[in-house]
């Protein structure tokens, strides 16, 4: 078979949230090259014989992107069935686009298998609908990460959308983000929910108004939801009706 890499989304954590195709490919992989965010429960679906390579980037350490690209090319050229497994969806942050381009340039076929992004999976797990008739007609997914001290996001413009703002990689910078949004005109009373390790056994949800985001303890990784919908929890409504 010609060289091929499967660029697969692992979903937010719970293996039940993998696509059928992702689970099938994982079960037939020779080698799985995965990120730090991919849960052990998902990796357990690879055959015991499969080689698992953790190239996860964590603060202060991790495998540089250039090396990951070279590794993927070499593994594919060696004729192995390579699953490149990324948390959530492979093309929502996480540099999946760059990896796909590098592989294509090396003449290696890439099949992309979309996954449930934490951008929607984490709010859903907390009972938060990202859109809601009459409350939020849009949701914008942005990175909270800064590159060389600069944010690539126009927070002032975002403050004006009237929709839901979903921030990934924003825990460390949450104080700066909150200040920029308030500066841009968003009310400091706007509800916020932070969903940590969504859909895993360690999931936790913290809620606060935007004015308290900077001082509210939140652990990474988390998805931060900002907007009126962040006050909702459809699960708690169901629990109240049952009680
Ligand atoms: N491709 C991934 C995002 C990679 S960026 C996706 O589509 O979900 C990494 C960021 O994703 C983290 O900083 C965090 O904000 C978010 N994230 C990923 N999985 C998460 C989870 N299970 N719970 C909370 N946040 C998560």
């Amino acid at each position: 078979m010609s060289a091929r890499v499967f660029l697969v989304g692992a979903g937010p954590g719970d293996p039940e949230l993998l696509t059928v195709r992702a689970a099938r490919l994982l079960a037939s992989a020779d080698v799985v090259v995965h990120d730090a965010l991919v849960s052990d429960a998902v990796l357990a679906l690879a055959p015991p014989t499969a080689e698992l390579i953790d190239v996860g980037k964590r603060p202060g350490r991790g495998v540089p992107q250039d090396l990951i690209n070279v590794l993927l090319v070499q593994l594919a050229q060696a004729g192995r069935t390579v699953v490149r497994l990324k948390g959530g969806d492979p093309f929502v942050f996480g540099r999946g686009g760059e990896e796909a381009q590098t592989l294509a340039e090396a003449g290696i076929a890439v099949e992309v298998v979309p996954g449930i992004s934490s951008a929607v999976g984490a709010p859903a797990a907390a009972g938060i609908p990202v859109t809601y008739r009459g409350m939020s007609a849009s949701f914008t997914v942005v990175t909270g990460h800064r590159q060389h001290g600069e944010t690539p996001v126009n927070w002032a413009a975002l403050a004006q959308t009237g929709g839901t703002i979903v921030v990934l990689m924003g825990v460390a910078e949450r104080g700066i983000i909150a200040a920029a949004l308030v500066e841009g005109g968003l009310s400091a009373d706007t509800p916020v929910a932070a969903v940590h390790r969504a859909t895993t056994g360690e999931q936790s949800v913290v809620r606060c108004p935007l004015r308290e985001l900077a001082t509210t303890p939140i652990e990474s990784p988390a998805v931060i939801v900002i907007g009126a919908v962040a006050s909702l929890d459809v699960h708690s409504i169901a629990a109240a009706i049952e009680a």
Side-chain angles (χ1 to χ4, degrees):
M1 203 177 83
S2 59
R4 175 182 294 265
V5 169
F6 297 95
L7 188 53
V8 179
D14 181 351
E16 294 281 313
L17 295 176
L18 283 170
T19 61
V20 174
R21 181 140 186 82
R24 196 184 292 152
L25 286 169
L26 206 47
S28 63
D30 291 331
V31 50
V32 179
V33 181
H34 67 91
D35 289 342
L37 278 177
V38 176
S39 69
D40 290 343
V42 169
L43 291 174
L45 298 178
T49 50
E51 185 182 354
L52 303 182
I53 305 177
D54 179 359
V55 294
K57 296 189 197 67
R58 297 172 180 87
R61 70 167 205 86
V63 182
Q65 189 64 45
D66 291 354
L67 277 188
I68 298 175
N69 294 350
V70 170
L71 176 71
L72 292 173
V73 170
Q74 286 179 348
L75 289 169
Q77 284 173 343
R80 303 173 75 183
T81 303
V82 185
V83 170
R84 171 65 173 118
L85 195 60
K86 290 183 160 287
D89 180 87
F91 281 174
V92 176
F93 303 119
R95 305 181 73 171
E98 289 166 58
E99 291 179 13
Q101 275 172 336
T102 305
L103 289 161
E105 280 160 17
I108 294 162
V110 184
E111 182 184 319
V112 181
V113 180
I116 297 178
S117 175
S118 63
V120 287
I128 299 168
V130 286
T131 66
Y132 195 102
R133 195 177 159 90
M135 201 184 259
S136 168
S138 69
F139 64 100
T140 311
V141 181
V142 290
T143 175
H145 187 70
R146 289 167 168 258
Q147 285 171 335
H148 315 296
E150 298 278 314
T151 174
V153 175
N154 184 341
W155 296 101
L158 258 187
Q160 298 296 323
T161 63
T164 307
I165 303 165
V166 180
V167 187
L168 271 56
M169 297 177 280
V171 173
E173 302 285 345
R174 65 191 186 280
I176 294 172
I177 292 168
L181 288 170
V182 171
E183 171 87 26
L186 195 63
S187 165
D189 295 325
T190 304
V192 177
V195 193
H196 170 67
R197 291 203 189 282
T199 81
T200 73
E202 298 159 78
Q203 173 173 311
S204 62
V205 184
V206 173
R207 295 180 196 248
C208 65
L210 188 56
R211 72 173 83 253
E212 288 168 20
L213 181 57
T215 51
T216 300
I218 299 171
E219 265 188 86
S220 198
V223 169
I224 303 174
V225 185
I226 304 168
V229 293
S231 65
L232 301 177
D233 179 357
V234 298
H235 301 142
S236 74
I237 297 167
I241 290 169
E242 262 172 42

